[in-house]
Amino acid sequence: MFRVPTLGLALALATIAPVSMIVTAAPAAAQAVSQAVGKPLQDAMAAAKKRQSAQAVAKIAEARKAAKTDFEKRKVTEAAAYVYTATGQYAKAAAELESIGGTPNQVAPLYYQAGQYQKAAQIASKSNSADMQLIVAQSYVKLNQHAQAASAYKKLIAAGGAKKQYLEGLAGAQYRSGDKAGYLQTVEKLIRVDPSPSNWKALLHNLRGETMPAGAKLGLYMLIDATGNLNSQAEFNEFVQLSATNGAPGLGYQAMKAGVDKGTLPSDPRTQNTLRGVETRAKQAQAQVAKLAASKTPADLITAGKTYYGLGQYDVAAATFAKAGNTPEALLMKGISQVRAGQGAAAKATLASVKGAGYEDVASLWSLYSSTKKAA
């Protein structure tokens, strides 16, 4: 689910660069070999540049048949590797280079481009260069061997630092291998490197599908909204439904209204009708907020706190949630309100105290949001 970056053609071709030496080496080599070998090699090069694959391969075969010495045979093999690379026959190019002891930096990218990921990983692992280790990691991703991919990304990070590309790859591999704890730790590092909405989206939208209590899920959607990632009709609908069923219609109303104002939601009759209905329920809740806030019942206080939060009265909301006790939901909502009220130190302490499946994960994300928000 987490979006995994793959080696693009540009990177693969860049790592194949040593093969291109054949382009300049071949004409010089052709002068040092017999005419029977040199002439078809030159013709093969010319045909390859024009993407005339069949003609280029035929000329390579002609030169190979005429080659007598080891030197001539090697030059034919080098030229064949270039021809196959230039015409997109990467596996054949790799096999040619492998037959004459080509380096991992030459051979592994070709096998990767050919889709032979097991061979690509095996050969690339013989080199310690970052490009080769990246091919190892990406090959394991392609093979759905995500634990091995995670191990390769960890080696890259240990050698080259916590670069965004490496962290993204590691997070994806950990998510797919079921290492939830490792995934959350890696995404936290990623967001500290780059707390952009897109990185928050990668994390939060992965967690949307997780099973958790309704109160924790509401807290998750509040963070999706806070990070600017509430951007589809389905997400707005789920947030509105969660808000309504958890005594917080004002949260759904404010989110929908902002979505319409920003153009994220269409201002069509259906949306406007839904918005009016949500607004009516929000006003009803606001009319009851003072009465609920005066109650000694935790459920009433939590409902009142959510209403104050929806009104943007975050400090009042935090104080109201504080009266509701130390349940996971009350503490989570208190911590969230403190974040939004700018009470950073208090929010950190409150969120750290949240326990319970689902609630604890969402609390840690809000704590991360609070710290990166200051640094952003």
Side-chain angles (χ1 to χ4, degrees), residues 233-302:
Q233 185 73 58
E235 291 162 357
F236 276 102
N237 289 342
E238 188 167 358
F239 189 19
V240 167
Q241 184 176 358
L242 271 170
S243 301
T245 57
N246 282 274
L251 299 183
Y253 170 69
Q254 292 297 336
M256 279 200 74
K257 186 174 184 301
V260 172
D261 291 344
K262 295 176 183 177
T264 308
L265 279 175
S267 185
D268 55 24
R270 181 177 179 180
T271 301
Q272 290 295 336
N273 185 55
T274 302
L275 185 60
R276 283 192 294 271
V278 176
E279 182 181 18
T280 298
R281 291 192 291 274
K283 288 182 177 179
Q284 291 170 347
Q286 291 165 16
Q288 296 292 318
V289 68
K291 178 181 178 181
L292 293 175
S295 171
K296 295 183 179 180
T297 304
D300 290 343
L301 290 167
I302 289 176

Side-chain angles (χ1 to χ4, degrees), residues 174-194:
Q174 289 172 321
Y175 189 88
R176 288 175 170 81
S177 66
D179 181 7
K180 181 180 177 182
Y183 167 74
L184 291 173
Q185 290 174 3
T186 301
V187 175
E188 178 177 340
K189 292 177 183 177
L190 175 60
I191 289 174
R192 290 189 186 282
V193 171
D194 177 15

Side-chain angles (χ1 to χ4, degrees), residues 205-258:
H205 283 237
N206 281 336
L207 294 177
R208 279 181 59 207
E210 295 289 322
T211 300
M212 62 180 68
K217 182 63 71 72
L218 179 62
L220 178 64
Y221 265 87
M222 291 164 70
L223 184 54
I224 291 174
D225 187 26
T227 57
N229 283 300
L230 197 66
N231 48 32
S232 76
Q233 185 73 58
E235 291 162 357
F236 276 102
N237 289 342
E238 188 167 358
F239 189 19
V240 167
Q241 184 176 358
L242 271 170
S243 301
T245 57
N246 282 274
L251 299 183
Y253 170 69
Q254 292 297 336
M256 279 200 74
K257 186 174 184 301

